[in-house]
Amino acid sequence: MGTTHHHHQPPTFPTKKLITWGLYALLSLALLHLYLFPVPLNQPKVTNHPRSQKTTTTSSSSLIPSSQAGKGVEQRRRSPPCDYSDGRWVPDARGPRYNGTSCSTIKDGQNCMAHGRPDTGYLYWRWRPSQCQIPAFDPTSFLQLIQNKHLAFVGDSMARNQLESLLCLLSTASSPELVYRDGEENKFRRWVFHAYNATVSVFWCPFLVKGIEKSASSGLNHNKLYLDSADDRWASELDRLDMAVFSVGHWFLHPAVYYENKSVLGCHHCPEFNHTEIGFFDVFRKAFKTTLKEVTERSWSSPSSSEKFVVVTTFSPAHFEGEWDKFGACPKKEPYREGEKEMEYMDAEMRKIEVEEVAAAAKEAAKSGGRLRIEALDVTKLALLRPDGHPGPYMYPNPFADGIKEKVQNDCVHWCLPGPIDTWNEILLEMIKRWKEDNS
Ligand SMILES: *[C@@H]1O[C@H](CO)[C@@H](O)[C@H](O)[C@H]1NC(C)=O
Ligand SMILES: *[C@@H]1O[C@H](CO)[C@@H](O)[C@H](O)[C@H]1NC(C)=O
Ligand SMILES: *[C@@H]1O[C@H](CO)[C@@H](O)[C@H](O)[C@H]1NC(C)=O
Ligand SMILES: *[C@@H]1O[C@H](CO)[C@@H](O)[C@H](O)[C@H]1NC(C)=O
């Protein structure tokens, strides 16, 4: 069990990897304070026992060029889909469709305007893809497309951030009713837009695979993850979902022991154990393989189920410039200009893994004759260019009411609402439209 498993990646530079892991292990400690759930987690349905040996690796998946992501389904008689990931942010006088007063479902930590963020320039930008235009978000079209359907966001707090953006965008047209909630901090919630019988829900599954999260109550100072088993909290619901958006990543930076086939594969940032340091790239890839394999297998095994659309929102980079607990940790007030900011190694690698695994799974899904589509919502570059869109110190109300303090916690990971993340949902709408058209 002592070797690292690099066979899914080209032989890259191990030193670079090690430096990266070390760096991000430190960053992850800072980020821990941000993941907003310091309290013990309520995990009724998770078991310690990995299911029977399930993981197989799709041998050629890493050879699929990333440009094929989401193009696994044959496009009949239609122009190729727009590459939304390539473009730039341009000024836009329209401004946001909602605000912290008009939308009641914004999580406190992301309600920047209400928390006294003084500048508003970050609200007046629009993503302009090189190949196409993104139409203004039409909440009624979105609701019609999910009429009689269930759309779920599955993942960590970035999934929740995207869900809350969508709820705000949709509630400008129709009010949702919260019909279900469960878990610490309501990590599992479901809303219904009764006028459309449309259900939108959120599932807290920050790893997508089975595991136990570190917490005081479990006595664990590291996560325990079972890379060969999908997390039942979403997998057992999958048959009842019409659309699922997966969004994870940042939690893989935290200290964790990884299991595969009931034995320890290695660990990330846990010097107190004598396990092989395996970083987080390879395990992130394995987690995605397991997740997308579960999706395709479940789809084959229930042929009567309706057409399904599975979307993976790619990794969203953080923008800490200074120390996370000091004033001005993400001080920018405008997007980066073209060429001003290169994607960092870690962000690029996390995105690449997702895009490659989605491309491989999309090829499998394409054999379903339209019953299952899998695509990447490739936001990594869009997100990278928006250092101005985070709450920063305004994750708390009026942080400078008594002057500038010695220490102030900053959130340079999540997005203000309204904010750049609304664009993710504008693109999601275009992807859903396309899916519907191709299937009709
Ligand atoms: C786990 O089992 C699967 C399927 O039997 C196999 O492909 C994989 O290599 C195994 N992994 C390890 C780390 O032994
Ligand atoms: C928020 O939106 C509502 C409804 O569109 C509007 O009346 C109000 O002026 C807005 N508030 C702010 C602070 O922009
Ligand atoms: C309402 O939506 C659910 C899916 O969320 C679906 O199963 C059900 O059939 C729909 N009801 C009607 C009357 O169409
Ligand atoms: C840690 O593992 C190495 C290599 O397997 C072994 O030589 C060493 O004795 C182990 N140390 C402890 C404290 O278990």
Side-chain angles (χ1 to χ4, degrees), residues 70 100 122 138 233 311 345 355 366 431:
Y122 70 100
D138 178 6
R233 292 179 295 180
V311 171
Y345 175 67
V355 166
M431 289 164 68

Side-chain angles (χ1 to χ4, degrees), residues 30-304:
L31 292 185
L32 267 185
H33 297 270
L34 274 184
Y35 286 110
L36 307 176
F37 301 111
V39 283
L41 307 176
N42 191 12
Q43 293 197 318
K45 290 167 219 133
V46 180
T47 68
N48 291 5
H49 304 292
R51 257 187 291 164
S52 54
Q53 312 196 344
K54 285 196 69 183
T55 306
T56 56
T57 46
T58 324
S59 56
S60 64
S61 62
S62 53
L63 301 175
I64 306 216
S66 54
S67 62
Q68 288 184 10
K71 294 181 188 166
V73 176
E74 190 196 346
Q75 308 290 344
R76 294 174 304 270
R77 306 178 309 275
R78 295 171 49 78
S79 56
C82 176
D83 177 2
Y84 296 105
S85 70
D86 177 35
R88 63 205 165 93
W89 290 97
V90 296
D92 180 17
R94 277 180 310 180
R97 309 186 56 88
Y98 65 92
N99 62 44
T101 319
S102 69
C103 181
S104 60
T105 46
I106 299 176
K107 186 181 167 64
D108 221 25
Q110 277 106 55
N111 204 342
C112 302
M113 265 192 279
H115 282 182
R117 177 167 174 173
D119 61 311
T120 53
Y122 70 100
L123 298 169
Y124 295 89
W125 297 91
R126 160 173 72 88
W127 180 248
R128 175 83 173 81
S130 315
Q131 304 171 349
C132 63
Q133 292 267 5
I134 303 174
F137 186 87
D138 178 6
T140 307
S141 304
F142 199 110
L143 286 162
Q144 281 164 353
L145 286 164
I146 62 169
Q147 183 153 21
N148 297 322
K149 294 196 187 305
H150 185 171
L151 161 63
F153 288 80
V154 182
D156 57 20
S157 51
M158 298 309 289
R160 184 193 57 213
N161 205 178
Q162 189 181 348
L163 156 97
E164 290 185 347
S165 154
L166 182 65
L167 283 180
C168 287
L169 289 167
L170 296 181
S171 44
T172 59
S174 180
S175 292
E177 186 198 345
L178 179 66
V179 294
Y180 172 83
R181 60 182 159 166
D182 187 26
E184 196 82 42
E185 303 225 0
N186 299 323
K187 287 173 169 175
F188 298 84
R189 284 175 292 168
R190 193 160 68 231
W191 291 262
V192 174
F193 292 86
H194 290 292
Y196 296 86
N197 183 36
T199 304
V200 176
S201 60
V202 64
F203 291 76
W204 177 258
C205 301
F207 301 101
L208 300 179
V209 292
K210 258 193 192 130
I212 305 172
E213 286 167 41
K214 71 210 283 300
S215 75
S217 71
S218 68
L220 277 180
N221 65 354
H222 59 275
N223 301 308
K224 280 175 90 161
L225 298 172
Y226 300 92
L227 292 167
D228 49 328
S229 304
D231 189 336
D232 268 337
R233 292 179 295 180
W234 66 264
S236 62
E237 291 291 323
L238 193 66
D239 286 351
R240 285 179 288 281
L241 302 179
D242 302 284
M243 283 169 247
V245 176
F246 292 114
S247 179
V248 296
H250 291 273
W251 280 72
F252 285 84
L253 276 55
H254 296 171
V257 177
Y258 289 97
Y259 296 79
E260 191 176 26
N261 304 343
K262 299 194 166 113
S263 54
V264 175
L265 187 65
C267 81
H268 171 53
H269 197 63
C270 48
E272 70 272 36
F273 301 116
N274 200 8
H275 300 319
T276 313
E277 167 64 50
I278 52 171
F280 49 84
F281 294 139
D282 293 345
V283 296
F284 188 56
R285 186 183 290 279
K286 280 176 194 272
F288 261 99
K289 273 192 203 299
T290 299
T291 297
L292 296 175
K293 184 162 171 281
E294 184 81 17
V295 168
T296 43
E297 280 180 355
R298 281 194 186 251
S299 165
W300 302 159
S301 65
S302 58
S304 61

